[in-house]
Amino acid sequence: MTQAPLTGNGRPADTRGGAGARGWLGRLDRDVRTALALFAISFGLVIASRVLGPNFGSLAQMKAILVISCFLMVVAFGQQMVILLGGLDLSVASMMTLGGVLAFKWVGGSDGAVLWGVPAILAVTAALGALSGAGVSLLKIPPFIMTLAMGVILYGATLGFTQGTPSGQPSAPLSALFANTAFGTPILYLMVLAVVAGCFVQTRTSFGRKVYALGTNPTAAYVAALPVHRLTIATYAISGASAGLAGILMLGYVRGVTLTLGQSYLLPSVAAVVVGGTSIIGGRGIYAGAAAGAVLLTTLSTIVDSLGIAEGWRTIIYGAVIFAALVLLRDDLAQLLGRRRRTQETSQNNP
Amino acid sequence: MKPRKFLKYGALALSAAVALGAGAARAQTPPKKFKVYLSMSYSGNGYQTETSNLIKALAATPPYDKLVDLKTVISGTDVQAQAAAYQSMVSAGADAIITFPISSTGLNRAIHEACEKHVLVYTYSATVTEPCARTVSYITAGFAPNTAQWLVNKLNGKGKVFIDRGVAGNSVDKMNYDGAMSVFGKYPGIKVVAEYYGMWNSQTTQQETAKALAAHPDVDAIFGENGEDGIVSAMLASGMKKLVPVTGENTNGFRLALANPALRKRGLDGISSGDPINVAGYAFKLMMEELLGKRKVTVHNIEYPLPWVPADKVKVCTGDTFVNGCNAFPSGKVPDSFNTEVFDPVLTPELSLNSALHGTPTPGATIQPLPAGIVKEAPNVPGVNCQHCKAPADLFKLTKVVATVKP
């Protein structure tokens, strides 16, 4: 992973020129290629699973997988922003639970409450995220410790606040996002929009570019007079808000919340980001990759779960495939292959 | 330590006798309170909160409000932490500990030490293998074999089935699974096409069921455990036109779905059974009767009767108490994941919905004694409620249904 600074300028805007004229795939940015490859692997896995049974690989199955992966996709956005910065957010699980619990309390029952309730919850979770960011940036507390502490405190607060049993009502407008309509399921369209918007924020806004710059080389960013504190605080706030949003969406899907709502998303959120081609030390990767990583992880667990084998083996297979994906998508492997191809091309051109 | 304990017991027994016998003497010497500790391993799900609320409500119901000083300790999911909590309770002078044990074997030593100091230890819902403790649980009451057989009967012995399990590696999960397979395994026509872990919560259950439904939309029935309201939600979200029979535990959402005529018309049917919240209430009353010397409990394992509510027996309550045999609450009153078995007209008539939700006593209620011959000894299950023991051959016998289909 230490090659990141070398290819650290491998962001969309920077590599475009260097790709040369090796077909349309070659002209695409490396990160976009990773994302496309991951989507293709997911699609291929679903198709390949047809051998398992007549109903595998159906359109209904693909749709179900996409719908279930939306929560991980949303959490992964915030997690990725923080990782791009060179940090890590371990409070996403508690933040997600908090989002769900607050939505259950504030938004549920009345349709109009979505209009003020959702922004209010996003504001609360963003503020709490900002608090983590402030700890990391101003007090120089390591992100691991700061967000772990934040997560534990938030969990405790949610537990105390609800006394173990969250109270509230399901929300009809939120549930409508997951309903089947004549034009498909609304959440699927929103997911596409979210991926486009996420990539736009990262690669086409000044804020996004500064996050990459800060993640690639904090010292250089500081020397270049980037607003390091503000950037860090804002990025952790985004992570808080996206985890909160995932919790809100979960209420729409499940129509109820538990205090363990976010628990199963903490490590997968990091896994989706890393599988999606983002450097764990920051500075490189785009959201399309993380989103594709989320879809791949969900696809995998769906298919592995349906294999009808013992839980121990399922977990081993799940882990092995993630490992294989990481190895296959490694940068130096791509570089190695690229170099070999270039060598071949050179030798062909100079007989 | 010991003589002081005896003195205390003597004083307590005396004060209890005085309280029972002559009302006139009561005013002069207020009865000394028993120190009772409620030890929970973790909190954070509805089940844990509701069970502890029932105990708190009973401890605040007269005359226990004058006899019991109840303290709650939540020690987390770590076995060592709960063992340490027991030890602290004993050193703090506990008379009794009522607990949800995190492990069936890991706490034995701490429990044994408590027993040696004459502290009464009761576990509810989950069990321990240490013989000096009393365990009160539904585990052995046959939830899994009975509901599985009901499904087989419903399917006429032929069809594709999902098994929604609990938490991998948990002894209750294994017991439920073995119980279900003891029935399904007998019928070659029953194909278990998917088996997944719903973690006993509605959210995971819904997600896992949705995944399984995507791969097997032609499923004929689903065997569920706690969180089964998620199974119904997943079926509804998947756009299935025809719903399939589901068995599960006691969530309010599931019972309401079973009582919903529109869903019944689409094919939903089922049994609501399994782990009752009220097991905590029953355990506490039994423990108090033993502590007060009103009852001699001689068995280690005590079985709680299995709740059994078929779809046509679901009746939605109009008020906050279970009157006229109602057994579910309107959806606005409690969340779908609320466990409805919070009350039993024989075992705990003192309780109401508010007891389960807030831990408050029912206004005007007083503690009613448990019926004389109520204690039913539970069968042995090695590793679950006894060590070096053998499970009876008929552990998974059918008690609520008869097999109407021949294997």
Side-chain angles (χ1 to χ4, degrees):
Chain A
M1 286 295 179
T2 43
Q3 74 279 12
L6 296 174
T7 53
N9 52 2
R11 297 197 302 282
D14 304 83
T15 40
R16 201 142 292 166
R22 268 183 283 122
W24 66 274
L25 259 179
R27 275 197 301 276
L28 279 175
D29 170 64
R30 192 195 64 83
D31 291 332
V32 178
R33 269 190 314 222
T34 305
L36 287 177
L38 287 171
F39 277 124
I41 294 173
S42 307
F43 187 73
L45 273 175
V46 175
I47 298 294
S49 71
R50 273 172 196 268
V51 296
L52 298 173
N55 292 305
F56 282 86
S58 65
L59 208 63
Q61 190 183 21
M62 287 187 208
K63 206 185 90 183
I65 291 172
L66 281 175
V67 168
I68 295 173
S69 52
C70 82
F71 313 106
L72 186 53
M73 264 176 70
V74 173
V75 191
F77 178 68
Q79 186 68 272
Q80 188 186 28
M81 290 303 285
V82 172
I83 289 178
L84 282 176
L85 206 65
L88 191 65
D89 191 348
L90 296 183
S91 68
V92 289
S94 302
M95 206 68 95
M96 193 174 162
T97 303
L98 179 69
V101 167
L102 288 179
F104 200 42
K105 186 107 190 147
W106 294 349
V107 178
S110 137
D111 290 0
V114 171
L115 294 175
W116 66 266
V118 172
I121 296 163
L122 294 183
V124 169
T125 47
L128 291 165
L131 213 59
S132 291
V136 170
S137 175
L138 301 172
L139 303 177
K140 302 273 178 272
I141 302 170
F144 189 94
I145 303 297
M146 183 65 218
T147 56
L148 183 68
M150 178 58 87
V152 172
I153 292 169
L154 277 183
Y155 179 77
T158 316
L159 178 62
F161 177 68
T162 59
Q163 296 187 330
T165 319
S167 60
Q169 295 275 320
S171 161
L174 289 176
S175 295
L177 292 178
F178 296 89
N180 295 305
T181 68
F183 303 101
T185 312
I187 191 75
L188 296 177
Y189 297 107
L190 291 178
M191 283 161 74
V192 175
L193 274 181
V195 173
V196 174
C199 293
F200 181 85
V201 168
Q202 289 176 339
T203 61
R204 291 283 182 274
T205 63
S206 136
F207 168 73
R209 285 160 192 264
K210 284 174 188 162
V211 168
Y212 283 105
L214 183 55
T216 307
N217 192 336
T219 319
Y222 184 75
V223 172
L226 285 185
V228 173
H229 295 317
R230 263 189 289 152
L231 273 176
T232 309
I233 292 171
T235 306
Y236 278 88
I238 288 175
S239 181
S242 60
L245 180 62
I248 295 172
L249 289 175
M250 188 60 93
L251 171 67
Y253 180 69
V254 185
R255 292 160 216 256
V257 296
T258 58
L259 290 185
T260 49
L261 185 148
Q263 244 170 38
S264 52
Y265 287 89
L266 175 56
L267 290 179
S269 76
V270 180
V273 170
V274 177
V275 168
T278 301
S279 163
I280 194 78
I281 53 170
R284 209 199 60 218
I286 57 165
Y287 182 48
V295 172
L296 176 66
L297 293 185
T298 314
T299 308
L300 250 180
S301 71
T302 305
I303 292 174
V304 173
D305 281 0
S306 314
L307 287 177
I309 48 176
E311 173 76 358
W313 282 110
R314 282 186 223 176
T315 317
I316 291 174
I317 295 177
Y318 186 69
V321 177
I322 292 176
F323 178 74
L326 275 175
V327 169
L328 285 176
L329 292 168
R330 261 171 68 137
D331 216 35
D332 41 9
L333 194 72
Q335 274 182 334
L336 198 72
L337 289 175
R339 197 180 301 146
R340 189 170 295 162
R341 195 185 298 168
R342 264 199 301 281
T343 325
Q344 280 168 0
E345 277 169 14
T346 327
S347 57
Q348 275 163 12
N349 293 343
N350 307 307
Chain B
M1 193 68 191
K2 251 189 179 171
R4 197 166 62 90
K5 258 266 154 24
F6 276 121
L7 271 178
K8 195 159 86 176
Y9 267 100
L12 284 167
L14 194 69
S15 59
V18 166
L20 284 171
R26 205 186 297 160
Q28 287 163 348
T29 47
K32 203 169 172 189
K33 283 192 168 185
F34 285 103
K35 257 193 188 173
V36 175
Y37 283 87
L38 166 60
S39 163
M40 293 161 69
S41 53
Y42 58 100
S43 183
N45 65 36
Y47 185 91
Q48 292 292 329
T49 313
E50 286 177 47
T51 47
S52 68
N53 279 347
L54 292 193
I55 292 173
K56 286 174 193 164
L58 287 172
T61 303
Y64 288 174
D65 57 339
K66 301 269 184 337
L67 293 172
V68 177
D69 176 18
L70 181 75
K71 285 198 174 69
T72 307
V73 176
I74 302 172
S75 50
T77 50
D78 183 15
V79 180
Q80 291 312 315
Q82 193 166 29
Y86 290 166
Q87 285 163 344
S88 315
M89 290 166 190
V90 173
S91 352
D95 295 298
I97 297 173
I98 183 161
T99 180
F100 179 93
I102 189 76
S103 158
S104 58
T105 51
L107 298 160
N108 284 354
R109 200 183 145 151
I111 292 176
H112 192 80
E113 284 169 10
C115 292
E116 280 183 337
K117 300 245 164 73
H118 305 285
V119 178
L120 194 56
V121 180
Y122 264 73
T123 78
Y124 60 88
S125 185
T127 53
V128 291
T129 59
E130 167 55 48
C132 79
R134 313 241 184 278
T135 75
V136 183
S137 177
Y138 86 106
I139 289 179
T140 53
F143 155 69
N146 281 290
T147 54
Q149 185 64 53
W150 183 89
L151 279 182
V152 170
N153 291 352
K154 183 86 189 162
L155 295 176
N156 257 323
K158 203 167 169 298
K160 294 180 177 170
V161 176
F162 292 169
I163 297 186
D164 158 41
R165 301 183 65 164
V167 174
N170 183 291
S171 60
V172 176
D173 169 70
K174 183 162 180 346
M175 176 113 184
N176 283 349
Y177 182 72
D178 292 348
M181 289 312 286
S182 76
V183 173
F184 292 144
K186 279 195 285 202
Y187 294 87
I190 297 287
K191 300 254 175 307
V192 178
V193 291
E195 197 188 299
Y196 48 86
Y197 290 88
M199 312 294 282
W200 288 317
N201 76 56
S202 313
Q203 170 206 334
T204 315
T205 302
Q206 181 177 345
Q207 282 174 306
E208 294 301 315
T209 307
K211 289 180 189 173
L213 280 175
H216 306 281
D218 54 346
V219 66
D220 298 303
I222 304 177
F223 172 91
E225 296 182 19
N226 202 2
E228 72 285 349
D229 53 314
I231 295 178
V232 179
S233 305
M235 286 203 290
L236 294 176
S238 75
M240 291 166 84
K241 295 237 159 28
K242 192 182 154 292
L243 304 177
V244 301
V246 177
T247 57
E249 301 204 25
N250 306 307
T251 58
N252 200 56
F254 182 50
R255 288 206 177 166
L256 290 180
L258 288 180
N260 184 327
L263 299 182
R264 290 294 302 277
K265 205 173 262 175
R266 285 171 64 185
L268 182 69
D269 198 354
I271 295 285
S272 165
S273 179
D275 200 351
I277 292 292
N278 191 42
V279 69
Y282 174 50
F284 182 73
K285 282 181 69 175
L286 204 56
M287 182 192 78
M288 284 307 296
E289 291 192 353
E290 192 178 352
L291 198 59
L292 291 167
K294 289 182 183 169
R295 175 185 293 272
K296 203 149 177 65
V297 182
T298 49
V299 296
H300 162 48
N301 294 312
I302 299 145
E303 184 170 291
Y304 188 95
L306 184 69
W308 190 262
V309 181
D312 56 356
K313 291 282 186 297
V314 178
K315 203 171 155 199
V316 181
C317 299
T318 45
D320 287 348
T321 46
F322 287 88
V323 286
N324 305 323
C326 71
N327 47 30
F329 292 101
S331 59
K333 219 154 206 164
V334 294
D336 276 358
S337 58
F338 181 81
N339 294 278
T340 46
E341 281 289 323
V342 291
F343 162 92
D344 182 275
V346 177
L347 301 174
T348 51
E350 306 87 352
L351 297 171
S352 61
L353 178 61
N354 273 334
S355 317
L357 286 176
H358 310 295
T360 49
T362 309
T366 52
I367 297 290
Q368 305 298 310
L370 290 165
I374 196 74
V375 173
K376 179 175 184 246
E377 185 170 10
N380 282 341
V381 187
V384 171
N385 60 17
C386 59
Q387 273 170 318
H388 316 299
C389 56
K390 242 183 103 181
D394 63 347
L395 178 63
F396 294 132
K397 66 178 180 290
L398 300 174
T399 50
K400 296 287 182 182
V401 282
V402 285
T404 57
V405 193
K406 284 229 155 61

